[in-house]
Amino acid sequence: MSAPATSRRPVLLVDDDAVLLEYLSTVLHHAGYDTVETRSAAEALQRIGEREAAHEPDFALALLDINMPGMSGLDLARRLREHTQVAFMFLSSVDDAETARQAASHGAVGFVVKPVDAARLLPAFESALARADEIRQLRRTEANLNAALAAGRETSLAVGLLMARYQTDRNVAFEVLRDHARSSRRKINEVAEQLVAAEELLNGLHGAFAGRLRGK
């Protein structure tokens, strides 16, 4: 059964083989995805530009044939990585270590070898999509973190305090701080101010106790 229309995610397919392109589209459509089929890298870039101009969401994932006339899948991948936020996986008729190495070096989140059947395609595709979602979440977290740190001294200090206390990286520290602010329905800078003030109070009390003990 297909997924409800409201939950369908857009997927870009790029392959010069019309028969395979139709097969890929059918399999993914029945799995709950909306597919856009293109026969060349140039057409794929045009469709991406059209979505951007229409302010539509980016493709959730692009499935690229490596060997195509004109601009290859590897060249297209380089363009996607440098100029868009579209994640991609590769489709290749060659199954060797060098091809896999090239795919990884170009930033692919997945790799499928022809001939393709649904039993192998869907697990590989969904694994690649999950990886693409993780990368997008990391980018959003990094962007939110940088914006928050730029907007407030207290937020920056609070993130630093959490990093030092719990021996974690700044993304995790920021996410914890942000999630706590959301759960308490407060602004992140307010929670950060409270945390910094509490740390300063504890440091002051620690100094007072140390002085009292030295005086005995």
Side-chain angles (χ1 to χ4, degrees):
M1 180 181 294
S2 298
T6 55
S7 66
R8 302 180 76 90
R9 303 183 67 183
V11 174
L12 178 65
L13 306 177
V14 192
D15 199 303
D16 61 310
D17 184 334
V19 175
L20 178 58
L21 196 63
E22 182 177 0
Y23 176 75
L24 294 172
S25 178
T26 299
V27 170
L28 293 174
H29 184 80
H30 282 298
Y33 302 97
D34 276 336
T35 59
V36 173
E37 303 85 40
T38 59
R39 297 282 302 276
S40 68
E43 185 182 358
L45 291 171
Q46 179 182 347
R47 292 300 187 94
I48 291 171
E50 289 171 352
R51 291 186 73 87
E52 183 178 348
H55 303 289
E56 296 178 344
D58 286 337
F59 289 104
L61 189 64
L63 180 55
L64 317 178
D65 184 22
I66 287 184
N67 297 310
M68 294 185 292
M71 185 187 299
S72 71
L74 294 174
D75 291 333
L76 174 58
R78 189 178 300 110
R79 294 279 295 273
L80 295 183
R81 188 175 61 183
E82 292 176 354
H83 303 292
T84 78
Q85 297 294 317
V86 179
F88 53 88
M89 64 183 298
F90 284 124
L91 181 66
S92 175
S93 58
V94 180
D95 183 14
D96 59 23
E98 176 58 22
T99 303
R101 185 197 65 77
Q102 288 188 54
S105 68
H106 280 72
V109 295
F111 186 81
V112 179
V113 178
K114 299 178 183 179
V116 179
D117 59 66
R120 289 192 303 116
L121 172 64
L122 287 177
F125 180 87
E126 291 177 352
S127 176
L129 183 58
R131 176 59 180 152
D133 287 341
E134 290 175 2
I135 293 171
R136 276 187 283 266
Q137 180 58 44
L138 287 172
R139 286 173 177 166
R140 282 193 293 267
T141 297
E142 185 72 17
N144 290 338
L145 170 59
N146 290 336
L149 296 184
R153 170 182 173 275
E154 290 78 9
T155 299
S156 181
L157 290 173
V159 168
L161 290 173
L162 291 173
M163 289 172 63
R165 183 177 291 271
Y166 296 104
Q167 298 295 300
T168 187
D169 63 43
R170 69 174 194 160
N171 282 345
V172 172
F174 173 72
E175 288 177 353
V176 170
L177 185 65
R178 179 198 60 191
D179 291 346
H180 181 75
R182 286 177 176 173
S183 65
S184 58
R185 298 183 179 180
R186 299 166 62 193
K187 294 181 179 179
I188 190 170
N189 209 45
E190 292 177 359
V191 175
E193 287 178 359
Q194 185 180 22
L195 177 59
V196 171
E199 184 72 11
E200 290 174 349
L201 176 59
L202 287 173
N203 287 339
L205 290 173
H206 177 78
F209 275 110
R212 183 70 63 88
L213 291 173
R214 284 196 298 271
K216 287 185 176 181

